[in-house]
Amino acid sequence: MNEPTRSFEVVVVGGGAAGLSGALMLARARRSVLVIDTAQPRNAPARGVHGYLGSEGTSPAELLARGRTEVESYGCVVEQGRVVALERTGDGFTVEREDGSVVAARRLLVTTGLVDELPDIPGLAEHWGTGVLHCPYCHGWEVRDEPVGVVASGPVAVHASLLWRQWTDRVTLFAHPGQSLAGPDREKLAARGITVVDTAVEAVEADGRGVSGVRTADGSVVPVHAVVVPTFMRSRSQLLVDLGLEVVEQKIGEHVMGTCVEAGPMGATAVPGVWVAGNVTSVTEQVIGSAAAGGRAGAAINADLVMAEAERALERGRDAPGAPVA
């Protein structure tokens, strides 16, 4: 790794809601902060962010643009790029980007998010985030009362079907051919008026307006206006693994929903000096929750630096009154 050309008190890896919120908290605390972001947010295909009080329906791009403007107004530096390596050096860290540039940081906040892994079915990836959905709280209102198809990709398909039934009474579950649907589950689905199709799904079809149906192996097409797929949510955690952290499975009940890096309630990890926030540590976190987690982590990082500076001042036997310790 090359020698660092710049130094910051905190480097934030990832500039989504979690990263920018953490940066905002830190910049307002008069910390020198660099945010490095790939500009490839998970929710980029979505038309709007929902459940975010005060920003309901705002496009993901606009929300992040507002956030960047806000953090930059407090002196935070936001740059586009991809971090390829994090290393501990003494009591801090070095951060290397894809272009070979290196910066130094006293503390790290990693908010790299996750990747949604979709079943290998033609049409799913093409319409992901628009006509192919996963979260009813994010998208349910927009397809209320419309025909919705749930494509089973694991054991949570029954739960997903019953959940989406809250928004529409026109739900069809395309059961996984390799998994038998138990009697009690079928009875619950039938009691709620949910149709079950046991034939394997071959493709998601679309017309000029978007998703139009689900084609099954027997050649029939079930008309739907949206397809729901419970994805496997895999954390973008390799940088953290390289620092010595472990990736663990995250479950809801007995079902594995994805992977994450564990952290405390304020985002502190098992590696001193490293915090995480957002989907890299919680696969179920929505945008507003990620923003809140980033803010908590930012405050915790500042508090950690404050205590370190107090200890350093005590060792020196002096302090500079009236100004933050650099």
Side-chain angles (χ1 to χ4, degrees):
M1 189 178 291
N2 298 324
E3 288 297 315
T5 57
R6 294 177 293 167
S7 295
F8 296 87
E9 290 176 290
V10 184
V11 170
V12 180
V13 183
L20 289 175
S21 292
L24 181 62
M25 192 70 73
L26 287 159
R28 281 179 52 81
R30 306 181 69 182
R31 296 295 178 184
S32 61
V33 184
L34 170 65
V35 176
I36 305 174
D37 183 46
T38 61
Q40 296 175 334
R42 175 193 181 200
N43 62 352
R47 296 186 181 96
V49 171
H50 299 289
Y52 200 128
L53 189 63
S55 296
E56 175 61 30
T58 304
S59 74
E62 181 182 351
L63 187 69
L64 294 183
R66 289 181 192 172
R68 287 190 290 270
T69 298
E70 289 173 358
V71 299
E72 287 172 338
S73 73
Y74 291 102
C76 176
V77 179
V78 181
E79 296 178 350
Q80 186 171 336
R82 183 179 300 279
V83 174
V84 295
L86 301 173
E87 289 185 6
R88 180 176 288 283
T89 52
D91 60 353
F93 303 88
T94 49
V95 180
E96 182 179 15
R97 286 194 277 196
E98 204 168 35
D99 62 5
S101 62
V102 178
V103 297
R106 294 174 63 191
R107 302 291 186 271
L108 296 175
L109 173 56
V110 180
T111 62
T112 44
L114 61 79
V115 175
D116 293 283
E117 295 183 352
L118 299 169
D120 186 17
I121 296 174
L124 283 182
E126 292 86 338
H127 298 281
W128 174 244
T130 53
V132 176
L133 314 171
H134 74 296
C135 172
Y137 300 102
C138 302
H139 305 288
W141 176 265
E142 283 62 44
V143 296
R144 63 192 184 282
D145 300 326
E146 299 288 352
V148 171
V150 178
V151 176
S153 59
V156 298
V158 172
H159 172 75
S161 299
L162 292 169
L163 196 59
W164 279 84
R165 175 61 178 79
Q166 173 63 25
W167 283 265
T168 176
D169 60 1
R170 303 163 73 184
V171 178
T172 300
L173 169 59
F174 295 87
H176 196 290
Q179 295 177 338
S180 59
L181 201 56
D185 286 334
R186 284 188 180 268
E187 291 172 5
K188 288 179 184 176
L189 295 167
R192 292 293 285 150
I194 297 171
T195 303
V196 177
V197 174
D198 291 301
T199 310
V201 172
E202 283 205 339
V204 172
E205 298 200 340
D207 56 24
R209 295 171 296 179
V211 169
S212 60
V214 175
R215 175 159 46 88
T216 56
D218 60 6
S220 61
V221 176
V222 178
V224 298
H225 287 176
V227 171
V228 172
V229 181
T231 64
F232 186 84
M233 296 171 281
R234 190 176 300 279
S235 64
R236 292 191 179 102
S237 52
Q238 187 57 51
L239 293 170
L240 293 163
V241 171
D242 293 342
L243 284 174
L245 290 166
E246 293 185 2
V247 176
V248 300
E249 293 179 340
Q250 185 165 353
K251 296 181 178 181
I252 296 180
E254 298 178 354
H255 305 308
V256 177
M257 304 298 296
T259 64
C260 69
V261 173
E262 291 184 314
M266 300 295 283
T269 70
V271 173
V274 180
W275 277 256
V276 292
N279 288 139
V280 73
T281 186
S282 175
V283 301
T284 58
E285 201 72 90
Q286 295 182 330
V287 178
I288 193 169
S290 291
R296 288 194 299 271
I301 293 170
N302 180 62
D304 183 66
L305 288 168
V306 165
M307 297 308 295
E309 289 155 359
E311 289 293 332
R312 186 172 64 181
L314 186 62
E315 290 173 2
R316 291 177 177 176
R318 60 180 175 83
D319 201 350
V325 178

